[in-house]
Amino acid sequence: MTELTELTVAAIRTGVAGGDFTAVEVAEAFNANVAAASQLNAFIVATPEKAVEAAQAVDAKRAKGQDLGKMGGVPIGMKDLFATNGVQTTAASHMLEGFVPQYESTVSQKLWDAGAGMLGKLNLDQFAMGSSNETSYFGNVISPWRRKDGGNADLAPGGSSGGSSSAVAARLCPAATGTDTGGSIRQPAAFTGISGIKPTYGRCSRWGVVAFASSLDQAGPMARDVTDCAIMLEAMAGFDPKDSTSLNLPVPEWEAGLNPDMKGKKVGIPREYRMDGMDPEILKSWDDGIAWLKDAGAEVVDISLPHTKYALPAYYIIAPAEASSNLARYDGVRYGLRDLPEGAGLQDMYAATRADGFGPEVKRRIMIGTYVLSAGFYDAYYNQAQKVRALIARDFEQAWSQCDVILAPTCPSAAFALGDKTSDPLSMYLNDVFAVPASLAGLPAMSVPAGLNSEGLPLGLQIIGKAFDEQGVLNAGLAIEQRAGFTAKPEAWWK
């Protein structure tokens, strides 16, 4: 029999429902993998008892002949940005270290209601700010992948959902939650050879998710294949009256609607995404993706997204501006860290708490955001960036008259070594160049593995769809997945 930890979400759910194995056996197998992989630092907190408790409830339901739910018997990892009742929620920061919510985020509650169990809280870039999982207060997450030339350099798992991507790729969990503000589901998925989808903005509730940039943040699933992402997204999505930006729309049956036949569909190839100096292996994987979608019956058309080059600068004005506002609440008064030097007044406490509680990248973004929102610069920067955002959204709207989905690379490179880009924030920010436009437009976008580069590292392809058309994105992803035949997995050097 296949090892339980090699099974997908769909296979676990079917096996538990059919009595091939129990949910408790699955939970214990993954708990053992989590315990053996501390070297990867993917989890901030492991919760083996929570996974077993949820599994026991599923097994009891099966014994009574009751419905097990969409995720019945599947243990998952929860990014430590989602509030979990009674379990520490830190956003990978010192500021929230030791904060234990007395409530559950809407997304996590939906997953528990669907029969999933929690293996633990996954590491991430602090307050979801980063592209390599090197800004966490709890240390770097290490990718399970290694370059095949024998180099032992620790590689970045991507960010900010690096704990999620590393854990899924290393078989520590079959699936995990992620959040995507400017590529934080798609880029880590591409770096680690897994799938991940950012749904349309508002599809999944933001209630109970620690805020970074409220007009961009969106939760989504990360899993080993497209089918698993569809299953998990169905469980996560849905209207939430507690979130004012939540979409009041029924949740489609994405899993049932999966169809890799692209006949009658047009796939747009944005010419602006072919940039000078691009990695030839990234270009080759993109060309492979075009050929695969043609093979699936799609017609490929050339399109233009003329404002693409302004997306990254606009994003790095809008996101820090919203972050500086959202993170103002961490003041040492209401909850979280309080640093009160002896004889200090209120202003001193604010300053000491924020100086101690936030890491360098978070401080950098707060300062950028505060600067662009200040009286003298609001119109020059923030207002201009919002205008650019509207133009980027319009570019996509016009492109939809020519195509149904857009195909592009997920990232400009494969995974880089930890430490390679930390000295230059701008080179780190450039990692998001292909991911940010879809985020600014609030569109669904997915990364699927396309193959390995010459160093044996995964490369991802990105599919961007029309608003609310997650089905079209998933179907194109499935067409690529079936033709790419990606089965590579990292060797378990950490065991």
Side-chain angles (χ1 to χ4, degrees):
M1 186 176 110
T2 310
E3 261 188 80
L4 292 176
T5 53
E6 288 296 325
L7 297 177
T8 60
V9 169
I12 291 168
R13 187 182 66 174
T14 303
V16 169
D20 299 339
F21 41 79
T22 66
V24 169
E25 286 171 333
V26 175
E28 286 174 343
F30 279 105
N31 280 338
N33 273 13
V34 171
S38 57
Q39 230 182 312
L40 298 178
N41 200 31
F43 284 86
I44 293 174
V45 175
T47 56
E49 71 294 343
K50 293 269 183 194
V52 170
E53 192 181 299
Q56 287 169 338
V58 168
D59 287 338
K61 277 186 174 180
R62 184 179 179 276
K64 293 175 188 167
Q66 294 172 345
D67 178 49
L68 305 186
K70 283 190 178 77
M71 297 280 291
V74 180
I76 61 167
M78 183 62 61
K79 185 176 180 178
D80 198 23
L81 208 60
F82 293 84
T84 43
N85 193 349
V87 179
Q88 175 180 270
T89 300
T90 67
S93 70
H94 182 37
M95 185 64 83
L96 284 173
E97 186 180 13
F99 171 62
V100 179
Q102 300 306 299
Y103 59 94
E104 193 76 38
S105 80
T106 299
V107 162
S108 55
Q109 188 61 58
K110 280 178 173 289
L111 287 163
W112 312 148
D113 291 347
M118 182 166 72
L119 291 159
K121 301 298 291 288
L122 290 158
N123 207 343
L124 63 144
D125 277 301
Q126 191 171 148
F127 283 103
M129 298 179 196
S131 302
S132 63
N133 226 132
E134 292 174 279
T135 70
S136 170
Y137 177 72
F138 299 97
N140 301 342
V141 175
I142 298 170
S143 170
W145 290 86
R146 287 274 198 253
R147 292 190 175 114
K148 74 174 182 190
D149 62 9
N152 284 331
D154 289 337
L155 299 178
S160 64
S161 308
S164 303
S165 64
S166 181
V168 173
R171 283 28 179 192
L172 311 188
C173 53
T177 55
T179 60
D180 193 308
T181 306
S184 288
I185 286 173
R186 292 161 286 159
Q187 183 249 22
F191 273 19
T192 56
I194 65 169
S195 295
I197 182 167
K198 176 198 94 69
T200 307
Y201 180 76
R203 198 54 110 168
C204 295
S205 171
R206 290 185 299 107
W207 194 83
V209 183
V210 178
F212 163 15
S214 303
S215 75
L216 294 157
D217 297 345
Q218 187 53 206
M222 301 173 75
R224 299 231 301 278
D225 64 27
V226 172
T227 302
D228 286 0
C229 285
I231 292 167
M232 192 166 165
L233 185 57
E234 263 186 63
M236 293 170 70
F239 175 63
D240 179 9
K242 297 196 291 288
D243 174 4
S244 61
T245 58
S246 178
L247 291 169
N248 194 355
L249 294 170
V251 177
E253 293 186 355
W254 289 304
E255 183 194 2
L258 285 173
N259 179 4
D261 184 359
M262 296 290 288
K263 284 189 183 69
K265 300 289 183 188
K266 290 185 178 177
V267 176
I269 307 299
R271 63 180 75 106
E272 289 79 8
Y273 283 43
R274 288 191 188 270
M275 297 175 177
D276 291 341
M278 260 179 87
D279 180 341
E281 293 191 278
I282 297 286
L283 286 171
K284 183 190 177 300
S285 77
W286 194 5
D287 289 337
D288 288 343
I290 292 168
W292 292 329
L293 290 177
K294 279 182 181 172
D295 182 64
E299 180 188 340
V300 172
V301 294
D302 187 41
I303 62 163
S304 177
L305 299 170
H307 295 93
T308 295
K309 66 181 176 185
Y310 304 114
L312 208 60
Y315 173 84
Y316 277 102
I317 290 170
I318 293 166
E322 295 186 15
S324 82
S325 174
N326 276 326
L327 272 60
R329 69 190 70 172
Y330 303 108
D331 54 10
V333 176
R334 285 160 285 195
Y335 54 86
L337 179 72
R338 172 180 291 194
D339 205 329
L340 189 58
E342 198 173 335
L346 188 63
Q347 289 298 329
D348 298 323
M349 184 193 74
Y350 288 159
T353 297
R354 291 170 70 80
D356 194 23
F358 294 136
E361 181 60 32
V362 175
K363 288 175 184 169
R364 182 183 292 117
R365 296 200 196 192
I366 289 173
M367 287 191 289
I368 291 169
T370 305
Y371 178 82
V372 301
L373 290 176
S374 59
F377 301 102
Y378 187 92
D379 284 336
Y381 290 103
Y382 185 72
N383 267 351
Q384 288 299 101
Q386 291 288 22
K387 288 174 187 173
V388 169
R389 183 179 191 174
L391 291 172
I392 288 164
R394 193 178 69 184
D395 286 350
F396 280 109
E397 279 303 315
Q398 290 172 346
W400 300 136
S401 65
Q402 299 169 262
C403 63
D404 299 290
V405 292
I406 291 168
L407 180 72
T410 307
C411 311
S413 72
F416 47 84
L418 292 173
D420 269 8
K421 296 182 186 285
T422 43
S423 60
D424 180 7
L426 286 181
S427 74
M428 188 73 83
Y429 295 167
L430 285 168
N431 257 291
D432 303 328
V433 65
F434 297 132
V436 154
S439 291
L440 288 171
L443 300 173
M446 177 173 208
S447 181
V448 291
L452 301 177
N453 71 0
S454 56
E455 295 183 304
L457 299 180
L459 299 176
L461 283 171
Q462 179 181 205
I463 303 109
I464 303 167
K466 300 172 185 172
F468 321 121
D469 187 26
E470 286 83 2
Q471 192 72 65
V473 172
L474 289 161
N475 289 350
L478 186 61
I480 289 172
E481 176 181 281
Q482 290 183 353
R483 284 157 183 80
F486 185 89
T487 55
K489 67 172 191 172
E491 286 180 33
W493 53 266
W494 58 90
K495 283 190 177 177

